[in-house]
Amino acid sequence: MDKTKPGRIVVMGVSGCGKTAVGRALAASLGLRFVDADSLHSPQNIAKMAAGQPLDDTDRAGWLEALADLIATEDRLVLACSALKRRYRDRLRRSDPALTFLYLHGSFRTISTRMRSRDDHYFAGEHMLKSQFDQLEEPRDEGVLHVSVEPGLEAVIDASLAALGAAPAR
């Protein structure tokens, strides 16, 4: 990543992996705008997830278009977005072929344990997390940066900055 032109970054992974916390820290450190993709879900999608029902491709279609539009109009952006399937990532890349993806990955056990300690998110429950792991198409050959969430948050932020070619702000 060109340090003089940070561009657009998507922090991706399943719910509970730390996308928002890491994304906010990256945005602050790099001087970029932060947006949580969850804020662009329709009220129907939020209600569906809150009721414990996983979203399908039809549910996500309008949301992905809104995200693609955001990427096309924001030139300095960190977007926290699950981007579970390759076709979702490919759709977002059509708005910016140079889009950087940072994949936060960890075991079901680690992420599930962290999610159980949270009460600040409408997306909850092991059933919903399992549905995300089931839908996840891990990026393998897409040039996506990989960062493990197994260590603590500060270590994940530092590893993410390093993966992006930026020095930690601390």
Side-chain angles (χ1 to χ4, degrees):
M1 183 171 147
D2 181 346
K3 294 177 203 171
T4 62
K5 295 182 181 178
R8 301 172 182 107
I9 302 163
V10 174
V11 180
M12 64 162 287
V14 298
S15 184
C17 71
K19 295 181 299 288
T20 299
V22 172
R24 285 185 199 280
L26 293 178
S29 183
L30 299 171
L32 303 176
R33 177 180 177 212
F34 174 77
V35 175
D36 189 326
D38 285 347
S39 69
L40 297 174
H41 271 299
S42 69
Q44 296 84 357
N45 283 0
I46 292 171
K48 187 172 181 177
M49 288 184 285
Q53 300 172 13
L55 300 180
D56 59 27
D57 288 347
T58 302
D59 297 322
R60 289 188 181 99
W63 176 68
L64 284 167
E65 289 307 311
L67 297 176
D69 289 346
L70 176 68
I71 290 166
T73 60
E74 291 284 337
D75 61 352
R76 298 177 53 78
L77 175 70
V78 175
L79 178 66
C81 173
S82 56
L84 296 174
K85 296 182 180 183
R86 182 169 185 153
R87 69 178 164 270
Y88 301 167
R89 297 185 292 274
D90 289 346
R91 172 59 193 103
L92 298 178
R93 281 189 190 99
R94 287 198 306 265
S95 293
D96 176 7
L99 188 62
T100 299
F101 282 87
L102 180 74
Y103 171 41
L104 301 181
H105 59 88
S107 69
F108 180 87
R109 181 178 183 173
T110 296
I111 294 171
S112 177
T113 299
R114 290 178 184 171
M115 283 186 74
R116 281 194 300 271
S117 69
R118 294 178 61 186
D119 61 2
D120 63 339
H121 200 279
Y122 56 81
F123 187 104
E126 286 195 10
H127 167 74
M128 291 290 287
L129 181 59
K130 182 171 179 342
S131 77
Q132 289 224 323
F133 270 92
D134 289 347
Q135 291 181 44
L136 176 64
E137 295 172 4
E138 290 202 26
R140 300 265 184 232
D141 60 349
E142 304 170 49
V144 173
L145 304 171
H146 291 239
V147 174
S148 171
V149 300
E150 298 296 329
L153 180 60
E154 295 303 317
V156 173
I157 292 167
D158 289 348
S160 297
L161 285 166
L164 293 165
R170 296 176 290 289

